Amino acid sequence: MVRLLPGLILLLAAEASAAWNGTCNKKSQRKAWHMMSVDERKEYIDAELCLMERPPIAGIEGAQNLWDELQFAHITQSNIIHNVGAFLPWHRYYMRVHEYLLQTECGYKGGQPYWEQVRDVDDFAGSVIFDPITGFGGEGSDCVVDGPFTNLRMHINGTSNSADYCLSRAFNATAFTTAKQENIDECFSLEKYEDSYSCYQALPHTAGHFGVGGTMYDPAASPGEPLFYLHHTNLDRLWWEWQQANLTFRLTDMGGQNMPSEEFLRENGFPDPTPGVVDYFGDGGGNVTTLNHNLWMVGVAPNVTVREVMDIGGPLNCAEYV
Ligand SMILES: [Cu+2]
């Protein structure tokens, strides 16, 4: 069973600022995968393969490597980071943690790439991102059959910390068309965060998960799919573009509910959030997400608040989209 340890959460929160809140001297450049050179793509894939071989650092039960632990961070709290205001901030920090681990554990010099999905709406399966030599490989409804991740195995899922499964994909080009520009424009036009985040979640966000399918379709275990990070970094870029359209206001604009709807929990097979976790939100007990909301990273990285992740160029993220 997936375990939550409230005592541990608080302990880690106290250490939050030690390793991360330095100054941002050199921003990581986050580029579109389609615009990267073959050499840059190889550097990223090689670093990702390295991360999958690194030993665990957080002591997560059942984790055989750092990849399992990073995935666990999403699995164990999938019921409090979706359909809530913290959806975009939590995933923004998750992208940063992944990028940071590539840089510090595997010597990766670049920034986290993003998958600019509007480019692939008209020819999904033909995307360069699925190239078996320079990209992530293609389909495989049992296990992916080509590309660099054919040997990837994972050990934690939504119901067990002693699982053993491979990476799978089952393309759905029709579902992917939700990534189209009209939908992005619709979300971009919304004035307040609490409206725009749910639009981004419902439209461009579902496109990547439903379009790739397989592991990516699993609402809890989807970060086992390496494409998850390029997909969510793209979503993060869309949020940042929305923020930039009115930065003075939107650098601090937060909102939305703290507790997912009953319907959402049932639809995704998520358990009800436990009191120990809810008590740690830090918003003062209400059902509205604030800048004080705590973002938990299960010991893989320090916990931070929503406030700390709001600026993509700030000391925590230290990145820019190019
Ligand atoms: Cu997620």
Side-chain angles (χ1 to χ4, degrees), residues 29-47:
Q29 292 213 324
R30 296 186 175 177
K31 301 177 181 176
W33 184 260
H34 290 64
M35 304 299 284
M36 286 163 63
S37 69
V38 168
D39 284 348
E40 286 175 322
R41 291 175 188 171
K42 183 172 171 9
E43 282 165 20
Y44 180 77
I45 298 270
D46 286 349

Side-chain angles (χ1 to χ4, degrees), residues 121-171:
V121 166
D122 293 333
D123 182 14
F124 177 65
S127 171
V128 297
I129 211 161
F130 300 124
D131 189 290
I133 309 295
T134 64
F136 293 76
E139 279 191 281
S141 56
D142 187 19
C143 300
V144 293
V145 295
D146 62 8
F149 303 111
T150 49
N151 295 321
L152 173 57
R153 298 207 75 85
M154 288 155 284
H155 310 96
I156 303 173
N157 61 25
T159 53
S160 172
N161 282 46
S162 55
D164 184 19
Y165 60 101
C166 60
L167 177 67
S168 63
R169 294 184 186 129
F171 291 171

Side-chain angles (χ1 to χ4, degrees), residues 220-232:
S222 47
E225 162 66 84
L227 284 168
F228 176 93
Y229 294 96
L230 284 84
H231 167 57
H232 262 279

Side-chain angles (χ1 to χ4, degrees), residues 74 81-82 87 90-91 205 209 219 222-223 228 232:
H74 188 273
I81 55 173
H82 303 110
F87 170 68
W90 190 88
H91 287 81
H205 172 239
H209 286 282
S222 47
F228 176 93
H232 262 279

Side-chain angles (χ1 to χ4, degrees), residues 51-239:
L51 201 57
M52 293 164 183
E53 300 282 313
R54 298 295 297 158
I57 58 174
I60 304 299
E61 181 193 339
Q64 296 190 12
N65 49 54
L66 195 46
W67 190 251
D68 284 339
E69 291 199 322
L70 192 60
Q71 185 193 17
F72 173 81
H74 188 273
I75 290 170
T76 194
Q77 55 187 325
S78 46
N79 60 347
I80 53 163
I81 55 173
H82 303 110
N83 193 234
V84 293
F87 170 68
L88 288 176
W90 190 88
H91 287 81
R92 170 171 285 175
Y93 185 42
Y94 197 40
M95 295 305 106
R96 175 59 185 135
V97 170
H98 175 258
E99 178 183 63
Y100 180 85
L101 292 174
L102 289 178
Q103 292 168 343
T104 55
E105 295 277 328
C106 293
Y108 180 59
K109 299 280 187 285
Q112 173 64 49
Y114 59 90
W115 179 7
E116 196 175 8
Q117 296 174 333
V118 279
R119 292 171 178 269
D120 293 332
V121 166
D122 293 333
D123 182 14
F124 177 65
S127 171
V128 297
I129 211 161
F130 300 124
D131 189 290
I133 309 295
T134 64
F136 293 76
E139 279 191 281
S141 56
D142 187 19
C143 300
V144 293
V145 295
D146 62 8
F149 303 111
T150 49
N151 295 321
L152 173 57
R153 298 207 75 85
M154 288 155 284
H155 310 96
I156 303 173
N157 61 25
T159 53
S160 172
N161 282 46
S162 55
D164 184 19
Y165 60 101
C166 60
L167 177 67
S168 63
R169 294 184 186 129
F171 291 171
N172 183 338
T174 307
F176 191 75
T177 59
T178 312
K180 64 186 177 186
Q181 188 63 44
E182 291 91 321
N183 285 344
I184 294 170
D185 294 345
E186 181 184 333
C187 301
F188 185 83
S189 73
L190 296 169
E191 206 41 53
K192 298 187 69 179
Y193 175 79
E194 62 179 273
D195 301 318
S196 63
Y197 97 79
S198 57
C199 180
Y200 283 118
Q201 179 182 256
L203 298 175
H205 172 239
T206 56
H209 286 282
F210 293 14
V212 174
T215 305
M216 187 70 160
Y217 188 75
D218 185 320
S222 47
E225 162 66 84
L227 284 168
F228 176 93
Y229 294 96
L230 284 84
H231 167 57
H232 262 279
T233 301
N234 187 53
L235 195 70
D236 187 68
R237 182 181 65 91
L238 297 178
W239 178 30

